[in-house]
Amino acid sequence: MKSPCETVCLVIACLMMCASSSTAEIGPITLKELVADSDIIAIGRVTRIFPIKGVDVAQIQTSTQLKGRSLPSIYVLNVPTWTCDISRVDSGKTYVFFLHTYKFSRHPTASAGAERLLSFQEPIGFKKKVWQTIGKDFFQLGHAGRGQMPLRTVDEVEFATVRIGDVLLPDQLKSIPGPDERYPNDIRSVPLGEFVKAIKAEVEARAVKIGH
């Protein structure tokens, strides 16, 4: 067992890594790349959040499918998987989702300790319980949680909120500040209609490229 001092040092080391080298790992990705990396892209509402083996899972009811298979409900891991991951959605809210298929761990663990502060570790039996509860279609938010973009309405126009420092948008997509006034240059809102057009254009361009 690690001492309290060792635990604190381990956490600090990881935070420093996140602020330096690991930032580059998750650092800027273009919308084109995010679309290509996603198995499913959809607009949907989070209808509930519930535990499976103590791990939060979000159920999403989709309203618009932009890429991938159309599923009655989509189930998504709703916990960060490492220190710089921001994967977390709220029940009742609607988002644009960029999702990839979740890869189950080959070595689940029941251990607890400092490591659990640094990364998500599957509990033993998690895969089996997921398959029993929701089936084999299980997903994870893309780009360390940046693949969830909550919707909001401004002057009767719907906008998607994007972390533009992490997801680089095409120049033609204009944005407004907010909703978090503390980060006017990092978190912006783009008109949903224009955002959907840009996503569809990337999906179609990729389909044509693969077809050739």
Side-chain angles (χ1 to χ4, degrees), residues 114-184:
E115 289 80 3
R116 294 187 67 86
L117 298 175
L118 307 178
S119 64
F120 168 68
Q121 296 182 15
E122 289 178 16
I124 293 173
F126 182 63
K127 178 179 179 179
K128 180 179 180 181
K129 192 65 175 178
V130 166
W131 285 9
Q132 289 175 341
T133 305
I134 62 175
K136 295 186 177 182
D137 292 313
F138 189 46
F139 299 90
Q140 188 171 359
L141 293 169
H143 201 45
R146 278 72 176 172
Q148 51 90 2
M149 301 170 184
L151 302 190
R152 68 184 185 120
T153 301
V154 179
D155 295 332
E156 299 184 353
V157 176
E158 273 196 300
F159 287 79
T161 302
V162 182
R163 292 174 175 266
I164 62 171
D166 297 323
V167 179
L168 307 180
L169 300 176
D171 291 338
Q172 68 268 25
L173 275 181
K174 304 305 179 184
S175 62
I176 62 172
D180 194 330
E181 297 179 354
R182 297 173 297 171
Y183 309 104

Side-chain angles (χ1 to χ4, degrees), residues 56-96:
D56 277 353
V57 171
Q59 181 177 358
I60 300 161
Q61 185 69 47
T62 60
S63 55
T64 304
Q65 193 80 23
L66 301 173
K67 181 185 177 182
R69 292 179 299 136
S70 180
L71 299 169
S73 288
I74 297 175
Y75 296 91
V76 178
L77 182 74
N78 197 43
V79 296
T81 55
W82 61 297
T83 306
C84 297
D85 192 342
I86 59 170
S87 294
R88 185 77 69 181
V89 295
D90 297 320
S91 183
K93 289 188 177 181
T94 301
Y95 301 77
V96 179

Side-chain angles (χ1 to χ4, degrees), residues 164-206:
I164 62 171
D166 297 323
V167 179
L168 307 180
L169 300 176
D171 291 338
Q172 68 268 25
L173 275 181
K174 304 305 179 184
S175 62
I176 62 172
D180 194 330
E181 297 179 354
R182 297 173 297 171
Y183 309 104
N185 298 317
D186 297 315
I187 300 176
R188 309 271 300 179
S189 295
V190 296
L192 180 59
E194 297 303 310
F195 192 43
V196 167
K197 286 181 183 178
I199 294 169
K200 286 182 175 179
E202 294 293 352
V203 171
E204 291 169 4
R206 181 169 175 78

